[in-house]
Amino acid sequence: MSLIRTLWKCAFSPRLFKIYEKSYEARNLERWGDHIVISFAAIWSMSLYAVPVIAMFAMYQRGYSLTDNVSCLSKLAAGAGALLVASLAARGYSRVNNPVYVKFVETLNETQLHYNASTKQELNKYDFEFWAWPVDFDVSELNSDTADKLTLEKIAKASGRLRRQSGKEFVFAIPCKLLSYAIAHTFAGKLIYPGSISFIGWILGSTLVKGRVDLMKLGGERFKLMTADKNQIDAMFVDRRNKSAYGDVLVVTCEGNCGFYETGIISTPLTKGYSVLGWNHPGFASSTGAPYPEQEENAIDCIMRFAIERLKFPEERIIVYGWSIGGYPATWAAMNYPSIRSLVLDATFDDVLPLAIKTMPPSLEGLVRNIIRDYFNLNIAEQLNRYNGTVLLVRRTDDEILSIPPNSLSGNRGNMLLMKLLLRRYPHLFSETSESGTVLSRFLSAEASDRTSILASFQVEEKRCLELIAANIRSDDGVINYPSTLGQNCNTRTKLQLVLFLATMYMKDQSSSHCIPLSVDLFHPGWDPASAIAVK
């Protein structure tokens, strides 16, 4: 390779963060060049918000003509361009004279030309900017059609809930629609998913690198996955098959709105011995795109297809684990892959709309509703109710994020998620009486000691409840169907006993705030009603 070509390659090659065998120390000139390039990237990412402000400021500057403003901006752009070119040249020169970096570039080039298990093993020794990583899996290459996947929009259309606007209503709604669109595509997404803010990714850069290195030491393998909408998803797989009791089961993790697989919920199932596949939301860290619902759906669909087709885990041996807002892609996966072993939802809400309204002034409620329903319709309960498999809900008793007001058990949106789940799965327990909903709400609002008293006051006996559930399953030829007929011929008191018992089986509490890691003891597939048949 000629010197000029090598210089060019090194100038535009990815930043090298770490070599897993030893640390990588960039030389002074390379560090200086990197800082300048990163600064320009930061300015560019903020230009969408800054340019209109600068333009308005320039237009209203008295004493300066448009020509003067254009001339000034041109000089500024020329100076910035010269600085950028100089920094790239300095970075390239420093890298060319660094044998460690040259070796990395040669390894990367060889891998990109001949990508196989051997070259990837060599590439895995380096941690670098992910845009240069070769694609490991492209979901579009599979012979499958994503058009048949179920979405909230399809559900709404099928149910007839989408009301057609009259011509007059449409015209009057245009200003609000335009404003909603502008807000949704600028800062609303950043407020809902702060992890997609580039600045946070830069701040956490070294922490994320350390997290990846730690996962690699545990046998992790990094993958770049291409979604149907051409986003590139950064994923990490830790294979525990034939290494631990739970290793044959894969846990697919779905992080929160500022969570990354490098530092997030992946640690809990790993500690318990499961195989784990973690990934970052579109727009988070090294994943491209933005965390809009459609892109989130394409991302989790790609993850699931990768787990099934490439990693060779059948649906029946996959647990989908979502934390907080990660409950949205988790329930979408459960809705579209109904044969998974179970769905675990930790510190998750039923619908993002009440939480969004809570954080904004009352005068903006109408606008917030439009933005959420049109662009961020994260209705987790709706998706959960399209899944009939095993579910475990974990509620944080001191949740400051999902409670209205904060830290209140009665206002925890996890309560509503459980109530909607039970109402859909066991409608006969709530029919002909409003007492079931009232008692359940009081039970979920009570402290642990008070809940024990409530169970005792209603004489809830586990054995009796399991017998009733088993009898109901047998009456359906041993098949669990939802909505269930459980409670159809029961009196009010028996219905209340069953409602309270089911609440204790479907939901577990962790005495902590929202962001404390889930206890290893609380992570399990959840209660399967079919197990009631085995109880004697």
Side-chain angles (χ1 to χ4, degrees):
M1 188 182 294
S2 67
L3 179 61
I4 298 298
R5 188 179 177 187
T6 304
L7 182 64
W8 180 269
K9 272 277 187 186
C10 288
F12 291 96
S13 290
R15 282 191 300 148
L16 179 58
F17 301 128
K18 195 174 184 67
I19 305 172
Y20 292 117
E21 295 176 351
K22 56 184 178 180
S23 60
Y24 172 72
E25 292 292 336
R27 295 178 178 178
N28 291 334
L29 208 54
E30 181 182 351
R31 277 201 299 270
W32 177 81
D34 278 339
H35 289 324
I36 298 298
V37 173
I38 292 170
S39 299
F40 271 92
I43 293 170
W44 178 259
S45 68
M46 293 185 292
S47 62
L48 177 65
Y49 313 100
V51 167
V53 177
I54 294 173
M56 290 178 63
F57 178 78
M59 287 175 62
Y60 288 97
Q61 280 292 301
R62 294 183 179 180
Y64 290 91
S65 66
L66 179 61
T67 305
D68 292 334
N69 287 327
V70 170
S71 175
C72 180
L73 290 174
S74 298
K75 291 177 182 178
L76 181 63
L83 180 61
L84 178 60
V85 170
S87 65
L88 287 170
R91 184 171 75 171
Y93 175 79
S94 179
R95 288 174 173 177
V96 163
N97 289 282
N98 188 336
V100 175
Y101 191 88
V102 172
K103 172 63 176 174
F104 158 67
V105 170
E106 291 173 351
T107 302
L108 178 60
N109 290 339
E110 178 64 21
T111 304
Q112 290 173 337
L113 289 173
H114 309 286
Y115 196 38
N116 52 50
S118 177
T119 55
K120 183 176 181 179
Q121 186 176 7
E122 288 299 311
L123 194 64
N124 275 332
K125 296 177 181 178
Y126 302 94
D127 193 297
F128 55 96
E129 287 181 308
F130 199 59
W131 59 262
W133 191 282
V135 174
D136 292 282
F137 178 82
D138 188 343
V139 74
S140 63
E141 294 178 356
L142 300 177
N143 295 323
S144 62
D145 186 7
T146 58
D148 60 345
K149 299 297 183 183
L150 198 58
T151 65
L152 289 178
E153 185 178 1
K154 291 179 181 178
I155 293 170
K157 287 181 179 178
S159 64
R161 292 201 301 263
L162 293 179
R163 187 177 68 87
R164 293 181 63 87
Q165 289 182 318
S166 65
K168 185 177 180 180
E169 288 175 328
F170 177 78
V171 171
F172 279 110
I174 287 177
C176 185
K177 292 289 185 183
L178 291 175
L179 181 59
S180 298
Y181 178 88
I183 294 174
H185 289 82
T186 50
F187 55 83
K190 306 297 183 184
L191 292 175
I192 297 173
Y193 288 94
S196 64
I197 300 174
S198 301
F199 181 72
I200 290 180
W202 294 328
I203 291 294
L204 297 176
S206 59
T207 303
L208 299 182
V209 170
K210 182 181 182 303
R212 284 195 296 271
V213 171
D214 291 342
L215 290 171
M216 297 288 281
K217 289 178 180 177
L218 293 174
E221 185 175 359
R222 198 178 187 188
F223 293 91
K224 177 185 280 190
L225 313 181
M226 185 79 77
T227 67
D229 52 0
K230 301 306 177 184
N231 281 335
Q232 297 173 356
I233 302 300
D234 184 5
M236 179 71 73
F237 170 55
V238 182
D239 194 351
R240 293 287 180 81
R241 284 175 287 196
N242 303 318
K243 297 177 183 177
S244 68
Y246 298 110
D248 287 341
V249 177
L250 176 69
V251 176
V252 174
T253 60
C254 301
E255 298 287 346
N257 67 348
C258 200
F260 305 86
Y261 75 73
E262 293 92 337
T263 59
I265 62 176
I266 195 172
S267 61
T268 297
L270 271 180
T271 303
K272 199 151 187 176
Y274 286 97
S275 294
V276 181
L277 176 59
W279 58 285
N280 283 332
H281 296 282
F284 279 48
S286 299
S287 293
T288 63
Y292 292 102
E294 185 177 358
Q295 295 187 40
E296 286 280 297
E297 293 161 10
N298 285 325
I300 188 60
D301 186 45
C302 180
I303 290 290
M304 293 298 292
R305 296 306 304 274
F306 174 70
I308 296 167
E309 304 289 344
R310 177 68 67 84
L311 301 182
K312 302 302 180 183
F313 282 91
E315 279 187 49
E316 295 78 11
R317 288 199 282 115
I318 295 177
I319 296 174
V320 180
Y321 170 30
W323 172 64
S324 191
I325 208 169
Y328 180 78
T331 50
W332 189 94
M335 177 174 67
N336 285 284
Y337 294 87
S339 299
I340 59 172
R341 174 163 294 193
S342 81
L343 172 66
V344 179
L345 298 176
D346 175 24
T348 304
F349 50 87
D350 61 320
D351 187 358
V352 77
L353 181 59
L355 297 170
I357 290 174
K358 177 196 73 170
T359 60
M360 302 301 290
S363 58
L364 297 178
E365 181 176 334
L367 181 62
V368 171
R369 285 183 180 275
N370 279 335
I371 293 171
I372 294 298
R373 286 295 176 243
D374 289 347
Y375 301 102
F376 295 98
N377 188 25
L378 307 182
N379 194 331
I380 292 174
E382 185 81 45
Q383 294 185 153
L384 176 60
N385 282 340
R386 295 301 188 283
Y387 168 66
N388 292 331
T390 304
V391 179
L392 171 65
L393 306 181
V394 179
R395 181 180 64 165
R396 306 304 182 92
T397 57
D398 300 312
D399 202 313
E400 73 283 13
I401 304 297
L402 302 187
S403 299
I404 308 173
N407 304 102
S408 66
L409 277 175
S410 60
N412 192 303
R413 297 305 302 186
N415 299 348
M416 294 304 300
L417 185 62
L418 175 64
M419 293 178 75
K420 290 176 180 179
L421 175 67
L422 295 181
L423 186 60
R424 185 261 169 179
R425 290 195 170 192
Y426 308 99
H428 291 286
L429 298 181
F430 296 86
S431 63
E432 300 177 2
T433 176
S434 61
E435 197 172 350
S436 294
T438 303
V439 170
L440 178 58
S441 180
R442 181 159 64 91
F443 177 74
L444 294 175
S445 302
E447 298 293 337
S449 58
D450 295 329
R451 289 199 296 273
T452 302
S453 300
I454 292 172
L455 292 173
S457 67
F458 282 95
Q459 298 178 325
V460 178
E461 297 180 3
E462 179 178 350
K463 184 177 180 181
R464 172 59 177 158
C465 290
L466 289 174
E467 287 174 351
L468 290 171
I469 293 169
N472 177 258
I473 294 173
R474 292 192 188 98
S475 69
D476 287 333
D477 299 323
V479 178
I480 299 175
N481 294 311
Y482 297 115
S484 170
T485 57
L486 180 66
Q488 190 172 24
N489 300 314
C490 295
N491 58 39
T492 300
R493 187 166 185 81
T494 302
K495 288 182 179 182
L496 294 176
Q497 291 171 342
L498 285 169
V499 165
L500 293 174
F501 173 75
L502 289 169
T504 63
M505 300 306 287
Y506 276 100
M507 177 178 278
K508 303 298 180 183
D509 279 348
Q510 175 167 300
S511 299
S512 72
S513 58
H514 186 74
C515 295
I516 300 299
L518 179 64
S519 168
V520 175
D521 294 335
L522 280 176
F523 186 85
H524 56 83
W527 175 67
D528 183 0
S531 63
I533 298 177
V535 177
K536 301 296 183 182

